[in-house]
Amino acid sequence: TGGVTTIDPGYKNTGSCESAITFLNGEEGILRYRGYSIEDLAEKADFLEVAYLLIFGELPTKEQLDKFYADIKAESHVDEDVKKILDGFPKSAHPMGVLSSLTSALIAFNPSSVNVDSDEDMYKAIVKLLGKFPVLVAWALRKKNGQPLDYGDDNLGYVENILKMMFKKASSDYELNPTVVNALDKLLILHADHEQNCSTSTVRIVGSSHAGLFASISAGISALWGPLHGGANQAVLEMLEAIKEDGGDTKKYMAKAKDKEDPFRLMGFGHRVYKNFDPRARIIKKAADEVLSDLGVEDPILEIAKGLEKEALEDPYFVDRKLYPNVDFYSGIIYRAMGIPVEMFTVMFALGRLPGWIAQWKEMRARKEPIGRPRQVYIGETKRDFVDISNR
Ligand code: SDX
């Protein structure tokens, strides 16, 4: 058989590691980072505080958080030559492809971040990544919009500065809207970690070969890009737009989602672990109403989403399979109201997930996990003799 007798496709029933970072209970819809409930953290903490908690295991004191942010700001410069790499992309390039490429390119400009055997080297690589990644995110958007590649303002908070780098116009200063800042801060917290999901498992297995942190994160970005994973938040908006174009005919899309012959799935629904409401979806749905009304945005897409959710929650096909809205179902509606283009939605997911990926990678290396190398059940040809090309 070539090694094992049974396999577990998609690792549906396989535990890959022990971890002390995030706790999920799929039956009850519970999510905790380092023991703190996602509801508390989304309400009471800010994103950089949660990043510190995930990576170092404890909520920081004010002094610890101030030093962490100062160290990140000190490393938030991206080598000007990286702009030449960005220049090589067509404007039509998907920002996730740009982001994974530039994250990998950062290695060439930060060679010391590859071998992080000492705590000091590890810390340096972490603050470099947390400082430079938001710049790459902003540059990916500005490249798409044909705008100058800019920096923000060191006097602003971490999330405020990200928004300024993304949206600052060359001609005028960027007006920070507290509703937008708070909404993005909350969304990034809600995306910050989710135990051994596809992209985190990717970051861990790439890091298990002792590839560097930046290389492992670049691989995680590629895994997140898929529409079955983080790419779903873009696919949800495209689906809701299609339904709107179709006259709001949700029944037709529900039927497609249930038709085994049709590869279409109801994007933003279902989850490998949650067989109940995704607690993040509950918080985001509430935030969507608040943000849109604060911004005075009327978006018919939100009403279509709510209609679709109601239908699915009453449909036996979905109820039997315990398919509920997940984190990606409502998030895009808020991103859009904030002026973020749909191609950037999954980039915003990556921005939120970065501290989780870092924390999981750091834990994997600290626990000296062995290189990931599963086996298989061989189903190919039995032994056969070589045939010279003249006889084929
Ligand atoms: C994320 O893992 C994580 O934690 C991920 C994430 C994170 O924070 O990292 O939470 C982020 O990726 C959320 C999920 C975003 N993806 C989508 O919204 C895409 C649509 N969802 C599906 O593709 C699916 O639900 C998955 C990928 C999320 C989960 O797939 P599973 O666990 O492999 O489940 P499955 O494909 O075996 O489905 C079980 C049944 C099947 O029907 P039967 O064969 O039993 O008859 O449910 C059906 C599926 O056909 N099904 C769906 C469906 N999802 C599952 N049918 C219609 N629409 C859907 N969305």
Side-chain angles (χ1 to χ4, degrees), residues 12 194 197 227-230 232 257 260 265-272 280 317-318 321 323 326-328 349 353:
K12 292 194 174 190
H194 216 238
N197 59 85
L228 295 187
H229 190 13
K260 289 298 170 200
R265 288 196 157 182
L266 210 58
M267 302 316 277
F269 267 81
H271 198 277
R272 174 61 57 75
R280 301 165 298 175
Y317 179 95
F318 284 81
R321 291 168 178 77
L323 302 177
N326 58 48
V327 67
D328 292 311
F349 192 144
R353 185 53 52 88

Side-chain angles (χ1 to χ4, degrees), residues 41-54:
L41 293 170
E43 203 49 50
K44 300 169 186 165
D46 71 30
F47 177 58
L48 208 57
E49 207 176 354
V50 169
Y52 187 102
L53 169 68
L54 285 167

Side-chain angles (χ1 to χ4, degrees), residues 97-384:
V98 172
L99 188 63
S100 62
S101 308
L102 296 189
T103 301
S104 198
L106 283 183
I107 303 165
F109 297 90
N110 300 275
S112 63
S113 67
V114 180
N115 300 312
V116 286
D117 299 326
S118 73
D119 290 351
E120 192 198 345
D121 289 347
M122 173 75 82
Y123 182 78
K124 202 97 184 115
I126 289 169
V127 294
K128 276 178 186 278
L129 200 45
L130 288 170
K132 300 175 193 305
F133 199 80
V135 178
L136 300 184
V137 165
W139 284 4
L141 174 62
R142 299 178 77 86
K143 161 76 187 180
K144 196 166 182 50
N145 292 342
Q147 290 171 312
L149 304 181
D150 205 342
Y151 283 95
D153 174 349
D154 262 4
N155 300 313
L156 294 175
Y158 190 70
V159 171
E160 291 173 333
N161 198 29
I162 291 170
L163 285 164
K164 180 159 188 176
M165 285 192 285
M166 287 173 73
F167 294 111
K168 181 179 180 300
K169 297 233 179 328
S171 51
S172 63
D173 207 3
Y174 176 67
E175 200 60 29
L176 278 167
N177 178 327
T179 299
V180 172
V181 174
N182 295 334
L184 181 54
D185 199 273
K186 183 177 281 192
L187 281 167
L188 295 177
I189 289 172
L190 292 169
H191 286 83
D193 194 53
H194 216 238
E195 58 130 281
Q196 305 312 317
N197 59 85
C198 178
S199 54
T200 299
S201 299
T202 302
V203 169
R204 275 184 171 252
I205 201 163
V206 170
S208 73
S209 74
H210 286 199
L213 175 60
F214 292 22
S216 305
I217 298 297
S218 175
I221 296 167
S222 298
L224 187 72
W225 193 356
L228 295 187
H229 190 13
N233 60 14
Q234 173 176 346
V236 166
L237 248 290
E238 290 162 351
M239 173 186 74
L240 294 172
E241 284 286 1
I243 294 174
K244 182 167 142 255
E245 293 312 307
D246 227 345
D249 180 5
T250 49
K251 290 209 177 330
K252 175 178 158 188
Y253 287 82
M254 289 289 290
K256 275 169 67 71
K258 296 186 282 189
D259 174 0
K260 289 298 170 200
E261 300 308 308
D262 189 329
F264 173 78
R265 288 196 157 182
L266 210 58
M267 302 316 277
F269 267 81
H271 198 277
R272 174 61 57 75
V273 175
Y274 289 126
K275 300 308 169 192
N276 194 323
F277 232 94
D278 181 332
R280 301 165 298 175
R282 214 188 286 279
I283 297 170
I284 295 174
K285 178 182 178 183
K286 185 166 167 287
D289 278 324
E290 291 159 2
V291 171
L292 267 67
S293 64
D294 282 3
L295 296 178
V297 170
E298 284 288 313
D299 189 346
I301 292 281
L302 179 56
E303 293 322 307
I304 293 177
K306 287 180 178 176
L308 204 52
E309 175 193 335
K310 188 171 177 313
E311 268 193 71
L313 295 184
E314 290 161 4
D315 184 305
Y317 179 95
F318 284 81
V319 173
D320 294 351
R321 291 168 178 77
K322 300 186 177 185
L323 302 177
Y324 291 89
N326 58 48
V327 67
D328 292 311
F329 189 60
Y330 286 104
S331 55
I333 290 167
I334 299 180
Y335 291 139
R336 192 158 87 149
M338 293 159 69
I340 294 171
V342 67
E343 300 82 3
M344 285 290 290
F345 287 5
T346 312
V347 167
M348 302 314 285
F349 192 144
L351 187 62
R353 185 53 52 88
L354 179 63
W357 283 335
I358 290 171
Q360 297 271 352
W361 190 92
K362 181 170 175 283
E363 181 182 73
M364 175 274 302
R365 288 296 297 272
R367 290 173 58 93
K368 299 189 178 357
E369 300 276 347
I371 185 167
R373 201 271 184 233
R375 295 303 308 272
Q376 63 173 23
V377 171
Y378 179 70
I379 55 169
E381 298 285 344
T382 51
K383 185 174 178 340
R384 50 184 174 163

